[in-house]
């Protein structure tokens, strides 16, 4: 099939843009598995650097996973009830709260972190523990959880569903777990993936809040680029990719419009 | 709980009494004036009125979804249920939007009220099967809600509401979301259910034909008040107010000069009987087309609409007054023709 010149121009443009985005990533990954980056590929390929990163920085990886899961737990516990109240009580005040909740996303992370240090700095036990970083992460990710759950709650007629469950004799707790939660599953899942991904990758706030003993993965990455061989920093990037890409793919997959799965064909 | 026998027709149904139940919303709007209403056990009362007349608010107060203003009381039989929330009132409720749980199958929806009551598995299954067959839904048990049509959904909602054997059944415009044909067949089904179960039911609608077909009594509501309550016949033939007369069916209104027992109009003398007033009302179907000898008025046809089963005529009776007449006469009526008409004096109403 003969294609027009226009097609080839568009194709070329797309390829150039993709290359612009992808080449640095590929280069970085290559650097992580090259014996000596300055000599180049001909120096040979190795997993030595990845292993070294693991021995030097595995603590940061586990801490990041731990903080991400803790952040998820806290945002679920606060975010779902908050979204529920915002969805059920639509008035001037709840709309204000809805807007206020998004502020930590708009304010630079450094400013948020500085405010936290000013406020809690003197509680040294808290200041040096990982829970201090947890607070920063919760502030930053909570709006994403609330928004995601709220969007689903506003799309279904939650009030009437609840009235119906109540008319059948369900107490508030039963309504919450049998009707509200299951019908907001999509929003909760999407919000949860978002929160975990953001927490894993968060740098600004964490960099300000961390101590040498509470280094997370992205902070460790910055540290390795600053103080180690380039190959180690690059190998660290590979580790980061391996952890974050499945989350991103899952998120993309989640955000696709739900396909109607034909069950119970009769 | 009432676990009596396996017969779905056996319900511990109770009467409902509202005592001075008013409702004022926080913003000051008065949705319902303090109202008195007594519904007998097994009776179906339809709350009928235009939107914003307070009918849904009254239903929600009966259900326990709204609290009446201080002083209002709701009784189920002898029990004062005013302080009880809906989940403790043991009612069945059907909503305009169906309100089925999308996360559950048809069978799970029907079983939900039994599940929260902690009914044993075997008994629960049996009850669900019973309800499915009562609503002709046997083949849909495992379907998801989004695989059902509107009519099927509302039948599931009815089955779900009745599965717990409620003391009263509350229906909030259950047919409004359905198309005309489906509405009629489901209306017949609801009628069959209400008659066979003999359950006390409160049915909210703005559709007068639904109200006439289903109600043992109809409460016509206007601006937060019950304008009139009575059997469909009473409401139709003896409306208490102009609002009721106009809301149910259509009504002709004619003014003229009183002349003995008649009303004088440019087109003739309308006999109204011993009680006279310079304004009278009558229904379009009570206008008879008669022979010239019997004629009371000689009316001029303004327009004629042939509707198949009957013809609707707009007639000029003089003094720039038109009336509507409905006739099954097969004649072809033409605008401009003069027709002799009469109205029986029993069909004539006087309203202030």
């Amino acid at each position: 099939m003969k294609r027009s010149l226009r097609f080839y121009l568009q194709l070329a443009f797309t390829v150039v843009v993709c290359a612009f985005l992808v080449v640095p990533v590929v280069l970085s990954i290559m650097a992580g598995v090259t014996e000596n980056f300055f000599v180049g590929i001909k120096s040979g390929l190795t997993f030595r650097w990845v292993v070294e990163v693991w021995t030097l920085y595995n603590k940061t990886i586990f801490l990041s996973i731990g903080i991400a899961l803790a952040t998820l737990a806290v945002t679920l516990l606060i975010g779902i009830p908050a979204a529920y109240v915002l969805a059920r009580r639509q008035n001037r005040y709840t709309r204000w709260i809805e807007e206020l909740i998004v502020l930590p996303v708009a304010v630079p992370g450094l400013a948020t972190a500085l405010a936290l240090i000013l406020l809690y700095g003197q509680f040294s036990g808290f200041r040096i523990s990982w829970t201090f970083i947890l607070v920063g992460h919760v502030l930053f990710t909570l709006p994403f959880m609330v928004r995601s759950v709220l969007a689903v709650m506003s799309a279904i007629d939650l009030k009437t569903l609840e009235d119906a469950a109540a008319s059948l004799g369900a107490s508030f707790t039963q309504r919450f777990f049998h009707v509200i939660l299951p019908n907001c599953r999509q929003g909760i899942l999407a919000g949860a993936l978002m929160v975990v991904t953001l927490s894993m990758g968060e740098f600004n706030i964490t960099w300000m809040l961390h101590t040498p003993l509470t280094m997370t993965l992205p902070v460790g990455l910055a540290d390795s680029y600053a103080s180690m061989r380039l190959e180690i920093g690059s190998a660290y990037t590979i580790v980061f990719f391996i952890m974050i890409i499945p989350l991103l793919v899952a998120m993309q997959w989640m955000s696709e419009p739900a396909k109607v799965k034909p069950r119970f064909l009769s | 709980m009432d676990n009596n026998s396996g017969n779905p027709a056996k319900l511990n149904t109770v009467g409902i009494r509202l005592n001075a139940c008013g409702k004022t919303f926080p913003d000051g709007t008065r949705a319902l004036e303090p109202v008195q209403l007594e519904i007998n056990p097994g009776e179906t009362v339809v709350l009928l009125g235009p939107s914003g007349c307070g009918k849904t608010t009254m239903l929600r107060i009966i259900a326990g979804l709204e609290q009446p203003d201080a002083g209002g009381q709701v009784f189920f039989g002898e029990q004062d249920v005013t302080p009880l929330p809906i989940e403790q009132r043991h009612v069945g409720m059907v909503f305009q939007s169906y309100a089925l749980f999308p996360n559950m199958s048809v069978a799970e929806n029907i079983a939900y009220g039994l599940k929260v009551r902690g009914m044993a598995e075997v008994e629960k299954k049996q009850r669900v099967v019973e309800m499915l067959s009562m609503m002709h839904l046997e083949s849909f048990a495992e379907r998801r809600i989004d695989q059902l049509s509107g009519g099927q959904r509302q039948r599931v909602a009815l089955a779900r509401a009745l599965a717990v054997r409620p003391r009263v059944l509350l229906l909030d415009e259950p047919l409004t979301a359905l198309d005309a044909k489906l509405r009629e067949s489901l209306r017949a089904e609801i009628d069959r259910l209400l008659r066979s179960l003999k359950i006390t039911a409160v049915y909210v609608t703005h559709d007068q034909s639904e109200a006439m077909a289903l109600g043992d009594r109809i409460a016509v509501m206007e601006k937060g008040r019950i304008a009139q309550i009575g059997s469909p016949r009473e409401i139709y033939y003896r409306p208490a107010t102009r609002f009721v007369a106009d809301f149910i069916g259509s009504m002709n209104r004619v003014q003229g000069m009183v002349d003995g027992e008649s009303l004088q109009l440019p087109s003739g003398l309308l006999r109204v009987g011993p009680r006279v007033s310079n304004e009278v009302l009558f229904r379009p179907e009570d206008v008879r087309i008669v022979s010239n000898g019997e004629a009371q008025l000689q009316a001029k046809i303004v327009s004629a609409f042939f509707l198949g089963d009957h013809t609707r005529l707009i007639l000029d009776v003089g003094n720039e007054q038109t009336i509507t007449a409905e006739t099954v006469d097969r004649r072809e009526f033409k605008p401009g023709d003069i027709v002799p008409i009469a109205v029986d004096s029993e069909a004539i109403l006087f309203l202030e």
Side-chain angles (χ1 to χ4, degrees), chain B residues 252-267:
Chain B
N252 289 309
R253 186 172 301 170
V254 170
Q255 290 181 339
M257 287 234 301
V258 178
D259 179 359
E261 294 195 349
S262 299
L263 210 58
Q264 199 177 8
L265 291 159
S267 54

Side-chain angles (χ1 to χ4, degrees), chain B residues 172-228:
Chain B
D172 188 5
E173 306 230 8
L175 304 180
T176 305
L178 301 171
D179 60 60
K181 200 145 200 178
L182 215 54
R183 208 178 300 159
E184 200 136 315
S185 73
L186 200 55
R187 188 173 82 190
E189 196 150 352
I190 290 177
D191 184 58
R192 171 182 68 83
L193 271 179
L194 294 178
R195 305 296 148 217
S196 66
L197 296 177
K198 295 186 176 62
I199 185 172
T200 311
V202 184
Y203 189 107
V204 164
T205 183
H206 64 265
D207 181 312
Q208 52 143 322
S209 57
E210 245 170 78
M212 304 283 259
L214 294 173
D216 292 319
R217 281 192 297 159
I218 298 173
V220 183
M221 296 190 62
E222 179 195 13
K223 293 182 189 142
R225 286 193 178 81
I226 295 180
Q228 187 180 4

Side-chain angles (χ1 to χ4, degrees), chain A residues 12-104:
Chain A
F13 181 73
T14 310
V15 168
V16 169
V17 170
C18 286
F20 184 73
L21 294 172
V22 172
V23 166
V25 177
V26 173
L27 214 61
S28 183
I29 289 171
M30 287 311 296
V33 290
T34 309
E35 193 69 50
N36 186 331
F37 183 66
F38 298 101
V39 177
I41 294 287
K42 62 175 177 290
S43 67
L45 295 175
T46 176
F47 277 113
R48 183 152 68 97
W49 308 122
V50 178
V51 172
E52 199 149 328
V53 163
W54 183 257
T55 48
L56 280 170
Y57 290 105
N58 70 64
K59 266 195 194 138
T60 70
I61 294 164
F62 290 121
L63 183 65
S64 265
I65 294 173
I67 288 179
L69 292 179
T71 306
L72 175 61
V74 175
T75 51
L76 284 174
L77 283 176
I78 303 176
I80 296 173
Y84 174 73
V85 173
L86 291 177
R88 282 302 302 265
R89 286 176 205 267
Q90 297 266 343
N91 59 40
R92 191 153 26 111
Y93 306 107
T94 55
R95 270 192 292 278
W96 266 98
I97 291 169
E98 225 183 299
E99 297 305 321
L100 277 175
I101 262 181
V102 192
L103 265 186

Side-chain angles (χ1 to χ4, degrees), chain A residues 157 159-161 163-172 174-175 178-179 182-183 260-264 266, chain B residues 60 65 86-87 91 93 95 97 99-104 112-113 115-117 142-144 147 160-161 164:
Chain A
D157 187 357
K159 184 173 174 291
T160 314
L161 284 183
D163 285 351
S167 78
L168 293 164
S171 66
F172 176 75
Q174 288 170 323
R175 299 198 293 265
H178 296 158
V179 176
N183 287 306
V260 179
K261 293 163 205 121
R263 277 166 61 196
F264 309 116
S266 59
Chain B
R60 291 176 68 84
L65 288 168
I86 182 168
E87 57 262 36
V91 297
M93 194 155 180
F95 300 83
S97 59
L100 296 173
F101 309 127
N103 57 314
M104 301 179 199
Y112 186 70
K115 178 180 152 187
V116 296
R117 281 171 171 74
E142 296 309 318
R143 290 270 184 103
R144 284 183 326 185
Q147 295 171 311
R160 181 179 71 175
V164 297

